[in-house]
Amino acid sequence: DAKTTQPPSMDCAEGRAANLPCNHSTISGNEYVYWYRQIHSQGPQYIIHGLKNNETNEMASLIITEDRKSSTLILPHATLRDTAVYYCIVRVATGNQFYFGTGTSLTVIP
Amino acid sequence: DTEVTQTPKHLVMGMTNKKSLKCEQHMGHRAMYWYKQKAKKPPELMFVYSYEKLSINESVPSRFSPECPNSSLLNLHLHALQPEDSALYLCASSRGDRESGYTFGSGTRLTVV
C-alpha cells in the first residue's frame, strides 16, 4: 500500500543542504505528506508534515509542488548526525494507517 | 510525557516459548500500532488499535496476538514463533485524527532461536 517513491540512497557534504525528493503521484486531495527518519534501527523520528503549503520547522523544510504529486525535504545544513534513512509517507485518508515506502538512505560526508 | 515506552528492549525466545512485548504511552493518544521491521527493510504495519478496539489486522499470523487492555497500554503476545519472525518490533501511537503524526517507541529487538 506504499504510495511513495524515493531514491534508495543519497550523499551530502557536511554543512550543505540535503534535498530529498519524494514522488507521490497518486495522492488524494486530503492526504497529508509526512517525513520521518530512522537512525540506526532506533524508532522512526518525526520530522515534518504538510498538506498543500510549504512548511518549515526547526529541523527541516518541506516543499510540496502545486499539483501535490511530489515533495522535497530540505535539511538546510546537514550534519553527520543527519545520516539516517528518510521515509516519505502519505497518510491514508480513510484510516489511521502509515504505510512506509522503501525510504532514502542519506549519508552525510565529512 | 511525550514518549512511547517499549519493553523489553531485547528478547531472545525459543520456538516453543510464550512471551509478550509491552508498549505504553501517556500522551492521551487513542490509536496505537504494531510494526515489524526486518533488517534493511522499512517497517511493516501489523495491527492498528483505535479507541482500544482492533481496527486493522494486516493478515498477521495467529502466532502474534495483540491486546489493548486500556488506552495507554498495548501488548503483543507471542507464541510458537519461527526464526524468520526475528525482527525489530515497533510500537507507535497517535491522536487518531487525520493530521496527527505517529510517535514511535525505540522498539524491541526479538530473536527467535
Side-chain angles (χ1 to χ4, degrees), chain A residues 32-53:
Chain A
Y32 284 82
V33 178
Y34 283 80
W35 284 83
Y36 279 73
R37 72 182 183 183
Q38 189 173 26
I39 298 172
H40 209 8
S41 292
Q42 299 175 19
Q45 175 191 21
Y46 168 81
I47 302 172
I48 199 165
H49 75 283
L51 183 63
K52 296 180 182 178
N53 300 320

Side-chain angles (χ1 to χ4, degrees), chain B residues 1 3-7 9 22-25 91 104-106:
Chain B
D1 189 350
E3 290 186 347
V4 172
T5 303
Q6 290 188 244
T7 54
K9 294 198 181 304
K22 180 180 174 182
C23 174
E24 192 167 3
Q25 58 89 14
C91 174
F104 283 86
S106 56

Side-chain angles (χ1 to χ4, degrees), chain B:
Chain B
D1 189 350
T2 59
E3 290 186 347
V4 172
T5 303
Q6 290 188 244
T7 54
K9 294 198 181 304
H10 301 274
L11 178 63
V12 179
M13 62 183 291
M15 288 187 284
T16 59
N17 291 160
K18 288 184 180 181
K19 296 287 185 183
S20 297
L21 309 185
K22 180 180 174 182
C23 174
E24 192 167 3
Q25 58 89 14
H26 297 287
M27 295 176 281
H29 288 175
R30 302 316 301 262
M32 296 185 76
Y33 315 84
W34 281 114
Y35 283 81
K36 173 182 177 179
Q37 186 174 26
K38 302 283 280 183
K40 300 191 184 302
K41 297 290 186 182
E44 296 177 6
L45 183 64
M46 300 175 72
F47 302 105
V48 178
Y49 272 84
S50 181
Y51 289 86
E52 301 165 43
K53 293 196 186 314
L54 182 65
S55 60
I56 293 175
N57 175 341
E58 292 284 351
S59 302
V60 179
S62 60
R63 57 186 184 270
F64 295 92
S65 176
E67 178 197 20
C68 189
N70 60 57
S71 60
S72 299
L73 282 174
L74 185 65
N75 297 320
L76 186 62
H77 302 298
L78 313 173
H79 174 54
L81 295 193
Q82 303 297 310
E84 58 264 29
D85 296 320
S86 298
L88 180 68
Y89 288 84
L90 293 161
C91 174
S93 69
S94 76
R95 291 195 312 262
D97 59 82
R98 193 164 56 89
E99 188 179 355
S100 62
Y102 287 18
T103 301
F104 283 86
S106 56
T108 294
R109 175 71 61 188
L110 175 68
T111 303
V112 182
V113 297

Side-chain angles (χ1 to χ4, degrees), chain A:
Chain A
D1 286 57
K3 301 170 66 172
T4 62
T5 304
Q6 299 176 251
S9 64
M10 293 180 64
D11 292 339
C12 177
E14 188 178 16
R16 304 296 295 269
N19 296 275
L20 290 87
C22 179
N23 182 291
H24 33 78
S25 57
T26 60
I27 193 169
S28 299
N30 59 353
E31 291 180 326
Y32 284 82
V33 178
Y34 283 80
W35 284 83
Y36 279 73
R37 72 182 183 183
Q38 189 173 26
I39 298 172
H40 209 8
S41 292
Q42 299 175 19
Q45 175 191 21
Y46 168 81
I47 302 172
I48 199 165
H49 75 283
L51 183 63
K52 296 180 182 178
N53 300 320
N54 298 338
E55 303 288 344
T56 296
N57 63 21
E58 64 277 6
M59 290 182 68
S61 294
L62 174 60
I63 308 298
I64 302 175
T65 57
E66 193 168 342
D67 63 7
R68 301 205 335 116
K69 293 183 184 298
S70 65
S71 60
T72 301
L73 177 74
I74 301 172
L75 307 178
H77 305 287
T79 71
L80 299 179
R81 287 177 296 180
D82 293 322
T83 292
V85 178
Y86 287 77
Y87 294 103
C88 167
I89 303 165
V90 171
R91 189 191 183 110
V92 174
T94 54
N96 281 320
Q97 308 94 293
F98 269 4
Y99 292 104
F100 285 77
T102 52
T104 295
S105 178
L106 174 70
T107 301
V108 179
I109 302 168

